[in-house]
């Protein structure tokens, strides 16, 4: 009771000294860090996150991925497979700072989780394997971080593994990622001899107590055999910071032996502006180096006050506006993820950029133009939920009660509306037909598919117009397998499914104009409409554009929606083989109507028929997904691997030697990669491994075109 009274007194004092700071926040804004853990699959993200939670006192037992006991991998599918599937959020405290952590997946099929997490984070920790170095998905998540201008620190994990090479990983980061990676630590030993780290800022060595699971860290002078290397590395660190930071340059000119606190401040400034990536090292599984990583998060990564104010558009005026992190400002937040909870209901994960939100408050959604009521507010810890009365700017939490929100929607104050930039998601590359085992389960299946599509923007459900089949699209075989497994376990729907198939697209290679006159009588009434339109090719990856800005004297405004709907139907159903069209622009040029007999049906039909005629005249082609494949193989199996890639219509882009292994990079059509894992193991006697990720779409060859048309 005394403690509670003291806390209330402290809160009242805080209110007097900082009117703009909410008194019942967990920590002031300057002491908040919103970070994500990003990496290639199996680099040790979840293991690192578990140690962070343990040392911060959030959990009292270290969970292990291989035992299926981690806090962050809470889904049954994650624990069975030993991989992260969905991003999980939690909060821990270190050195009196509040660290909101999102652990993201590393598998390419779930890259959407990384995308939407990075959109709302202020900083990130990139985890790299000391043996594998910069791997394909490492490059992908790094590019995603660059797109959102997320400051990062790097952690070279698994220094205890055979083949660990810290300096090679740092060099890889510089060459393959184009980052200004600079070590702030050096390892003491490697592989079986990895003992601890050297802190280049304080110039002290650090060891970790095995009995306390690394919780007790000892500091001691740098061993003599490492002293010269440490001195050289510190000089390079100081010079790297001084090159880009004037304040540190002045301190360096006065005294080459820059004080640790001055050096830390300089590193922090460069990390926040994106011109430096400090590199640390350790072994999360062996409980070494993670506490110093937490220190780096606090010392180097930005608070919400250190990043630029978020920008958006005023939906009423179209003007660009900003929202700075301030509890007393107008409320604005981004719903970056939706999830279903069997006890709570539909959850919307939000990042609050300005203002605060209270339970029972109304919020405005600019996309729908409607207000919705917040029934409950949740603070997250993986799959555990703590209900709170308020959430504040700079925080990540969840709300219950939103009925119409989708991923990427903005929530804001109705009297100060703003629409933040939506998240862009990749196109699915694979699909399968799915149906309930019994007719009684059809409604349950529809509900399960709708719920999963709302949660995951890369899970797309459609009905084939000709066959009536329900088609489920996703990012890969594993993605579809997980979705099907979730339907069985979470939604209790037993299903039959077809074989996963590649999601092709159709496109055009030129431009053409067509017109269609629709003049028929049915139902005792005449229906008349004429539409003239042009289709033209646009750059690869640009999507589709429909322009119906023709004069109302040609096509009245009340029929323009029907024209647009007809063109949209044509785009979605395709021309050659029922695959959606992409990378084209459709422009309505002219038309005709009759004031007495024109109708929506007539204009919709005329539009879709004119569209199909124009596309057929514009050189239609199929687009197939091309995957970036990286194979790590022993030298003796290299010839067989290369021959197999060539037989799969693959194109080798590079070959490099890394240690005693060869790394082959190639671009291979996804259609040729079914069962590739078995082939790679067979060709290399189980010693090679591979990874792949979507790279681009390319025009399919003529023989494949014929197969798809005749399928």
């Amino acid at each position: 009771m005394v403690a509670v009274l003291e806390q209330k007194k402290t809160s009242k004092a805080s209110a007097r000294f900082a009117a703009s700071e909410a008194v019942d926040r967990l920590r002031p804004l300057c002491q908040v860090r919103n970070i994500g853990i990003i990496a290639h699959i199996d680099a040790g993200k979840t293991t690192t996150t578990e140690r962070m939670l343990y040392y911060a006192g959030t959990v009292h037992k270290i969970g292990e991925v291989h035992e299926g006991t981690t806090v962050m991998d809470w889904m049954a599918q994650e624990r069975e497979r030993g991989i992260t599937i969905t991003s999980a959020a939690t909060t821990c405290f270190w050195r009196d700072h509040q660290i909101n952590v999102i652990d993201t997946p590393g598998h390419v099929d779930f890259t959407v989780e990384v995308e939407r997490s990075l959109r709302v984070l202020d900083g990130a920790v990139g985890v790299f394997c000391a043996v594998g170095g910069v791997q394909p998905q490492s490059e992908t998540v790094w590019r995603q971080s660059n797109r959102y201008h997320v400051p990062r620190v790097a952690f070279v994990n698994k220094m205890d593994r055979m083949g660990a090479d810290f300096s090679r990983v740092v060099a890889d980061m510089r060459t393959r990622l184009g980052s200004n990676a600079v070590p702030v630590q050096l390892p003491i030993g490697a592989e079986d001899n990895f003992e601890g780290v050297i802190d280049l800022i304080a110039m002290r060595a650090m060891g970790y107590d095995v009995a306390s699971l690394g919780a007790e860290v000892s500091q001691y002078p740098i061993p003599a055999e490492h002293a010269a290397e440490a001195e050289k590395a510190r000089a390079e660190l100081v010079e790297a910071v001084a090159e880009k930071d004037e304040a540190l340059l002045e301190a360096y000119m006065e005294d080459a032996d820059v004080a640790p606190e001055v050096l830390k401040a300089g590193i922090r400034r460069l990390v926040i502006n994106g011109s430096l990536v400090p590199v640390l090292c350790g072994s999360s599984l062996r409980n070494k180096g993670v506490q110093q990583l937490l220190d780096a998060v606090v010392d180097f990564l930005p608070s919400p006050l250190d990043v630029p104010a978020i920008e958006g558009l005023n939906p009423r005026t179209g003007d660009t506006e900003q929202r700075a992190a301030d509890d007393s400002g107008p409320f604005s937040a981004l719903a970056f993820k939706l999830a279903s909870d069997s006890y709570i209901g539909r959850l919307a994960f939000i990042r609050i950029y300005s203002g605060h939100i209270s339970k029972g408050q109304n919020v405005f959604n600019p996309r729908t133009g409607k207000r919705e009521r917040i029934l409950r507010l949740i603070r997250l810890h993986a799959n555990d939920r703590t209900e709170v009365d308020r959430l504040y700017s700079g925080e990540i939490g969840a709300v219950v009660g939103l009925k119409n929100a989708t991923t990427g929607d903005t929530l804001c104050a109705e009297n100060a509306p703003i629409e933040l930039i939506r998240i862009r998601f990749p196109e699915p590359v694979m699909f399968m037909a799915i149906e309930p085992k019994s007719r009684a389960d059809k409604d349950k299946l529809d509900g399960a598919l709708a719920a999963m599509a709302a949660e995951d923007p890369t899970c797309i459900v459609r009905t084939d117009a000709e066959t009536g089949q329900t088609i489920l699209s996703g990012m890969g075989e594993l993605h579809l397998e997980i979705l099907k497994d979730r339907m069985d376990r979470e939604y209790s729907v037993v299903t039959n499914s077809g074989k996963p198939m590649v999601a092709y697209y159709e496109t055009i290679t030129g431009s053409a104009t067509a017109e269609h006159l629709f003049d028929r009588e049915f139902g005792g009434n005449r229906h008349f409409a004429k539409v003239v339109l042009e289709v033209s090719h646009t750059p690869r990856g640009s999507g589709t554009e429909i322009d119906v800005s023709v004069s109302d004297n040609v096509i009245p405004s009340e029929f323009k929606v029907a024209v647009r709907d007809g063109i949209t139907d044509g785009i979605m159903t395709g021309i050659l083989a029922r695959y959606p069209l992409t990378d084209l622009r459709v422009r309505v040029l002219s038309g005709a109507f009759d004031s007495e007999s024109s109708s929506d049906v007539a204009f919709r039909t005329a539009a879709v028929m004119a569209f199909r005629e124009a596309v057929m005249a514009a050189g239609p082609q199929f687009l197939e997904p091309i995957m970036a494949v990286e194979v790590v193989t022993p030298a003796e199996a290299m010839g067989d691997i290369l021959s197999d890639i060539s037989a799969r219509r693959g194109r080798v882009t590079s070959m490099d030697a890394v240690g005693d292994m060869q790394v082959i990079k190639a671009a291979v059509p996804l259609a040729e990669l079914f069962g590739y894992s078995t082939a790679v193991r067979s060709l290399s006697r189980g010693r090679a491994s591979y990874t792949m990720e979507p790279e681009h779409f390319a025009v399919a060859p003529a023989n494949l075109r014929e197969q798809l048309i005749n399928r």
Side-chain angles (χ1 to χ4, degrees), residues 427-428 431 460 462 473 503-508 544 568-584 611 621-623 697:
E427 293 289 340
F431 71 90
I460 296 178
R462 64 181 176 87
S473 301
Y504 295 98
Y505 283 88
E506 297 178 20
T507 191
I508 56 175
T544 58
T568 302
D569 285 347
I571 289 172
M572 295 307 298
T573 55
I575 302 300
L576 298 174
R578 302 199 313 275
Y579 293 107
L581 280 144
T582 188
D583 300 339
L584 78 163
F611 173 77
Q621 293 285 354
F622 288 103
L623 292 176
F697 281 82

Side-chain angles (χ1 to χ4, degrees), residues 204-457:
R204 298 285 290 175
M206 295 184 178
Y208 302 89
D209 177 55
V210 176
S212 65
L213 300 177
E216 294 182 13
V217 182
S218 58
Q219 295 191 23
Y220 55 94
I222 298 171
E225 62 269 27
H226 297 286
E229 182 188 9
E231 288 289 349
K232 180 184 176 184
R234 190 183 201 272
E236 291 174 352
L237 169 62
V238 172
E239 289 175 9
V241 179
E243 281 180 8
K244 298 178 178 293
D245 187 81
E246 291 185 7
L248 190 90
L249 179 60
E250 292 179 8
Y252 177 66
M253 297 297 289
E254 294 177 5
D255 184 359
D257 186 18
V258 178
E261 293 306 316
V262 176
L263 182 54
K264 273 186 187 178
I267 294 172
R268 177 179 173 79
R269 287 190 290 270
L270 294 185
V271 170
I272 290 173
N273 67 30
S275 56
L276 185 81
V277 178
V279 186
L280 300 89
C281 61
S283 170
S284 298
L285 187 63
R286 305 300 173 204
N287 309 310
K288 296 177 180 179
V290 178
Q291 296 189 61
Q292 283 62 54
L293 178 59
L294 281 165
D295 286 336
V297 168
V298 169
D299 290 337
F300 303 140
L301 291 180
S303 74
L305 296 173
D306 297 317
V307 296
I310 193 74
E311 286 191 348
L313 294 177
N314 186 317
R316 294 171 184 165
T317 65
D319 296 335
T320 300
E321 296 185 0
Q322 293 185 335
R323 293 288 188 271
D326 181 1
D327 292 337
S328 60
F331 172 70
S332 64
L334 187 74
F336 66 95
K337 179 177 176 177
L338 299 181
S340 296
D341 187 289
S342 55
Y343 298 103
I344 296 177
R346 195 180 191 219
L347 284 171
F349 290 52
I350 63 169
R351 160 68 194 267
I352 303 175
Y353 286 99
S354 63
H356 62 270
I357 185 171
S358 302
K359 184 167 65 174
Q361 178 179 330
N362 286 328
V363 295
F364 180 69
N365 185 334
R367 181 184 63 83
T368 62
K370 297 178 180 178
R371 69 170 73 96
E372 297 198 60
R373 189 175 182 81
I374 303 300
L375 302 180
R376 301 167 76 178
L377 293 174
I378 307 293
R379 186 164 282 126
L380 302 161
H381 178 50
N383 66 324
D384 290 334
R385 327 287 194 199
T386 302
E387 193 164 342
V388 296
D389 292 329
R390 276 191 176 189
L391 291 172
Y392 297 92
S393 62
E395 290 195 313
I396 293 173
V399 299
V400 179
L402 301 181
K403 296 179 180 178
N404 302 310
T406 61
T407 301
D409 277 0
T410 302
L411 305 177
C412 60
E414 191 169 1
N415 60 353
I418 188 171
E419 189 162 12
L420 305 177
I421 298 172
R422 297 185 68 85
I423 308 168
R424 291 186 62 184
F425 298 111
E427 293 289 340
V429 297
M430 199 167 282
F431 71 90
M432 67 181 180
I434 193 163
E435 63 183 22
K437 277 202 169 181
S438 66
R439 289 189 176 183
D441 284 340
K442 186 180 185 308
D443 290 342
K444 288 173 66 177
L445 175 63
D446 292 343
L449 290 173
M452 290 193 300
E455 292 178 22
D456 183 353

Side-chain angles (χ1 to χ4, degrees), residues 18 84 129 183 283 304 331 419 455 489 594 612 641 657 687 696:
T84 301
C129 175
S283 170
F331 172 70
E419 189 162 12
E455 292 178 22
R489 296 193 191 195
D594 184 283
R612 289 178 176 172
I641 296 288
R687 295 181 61 196
H696 65 278

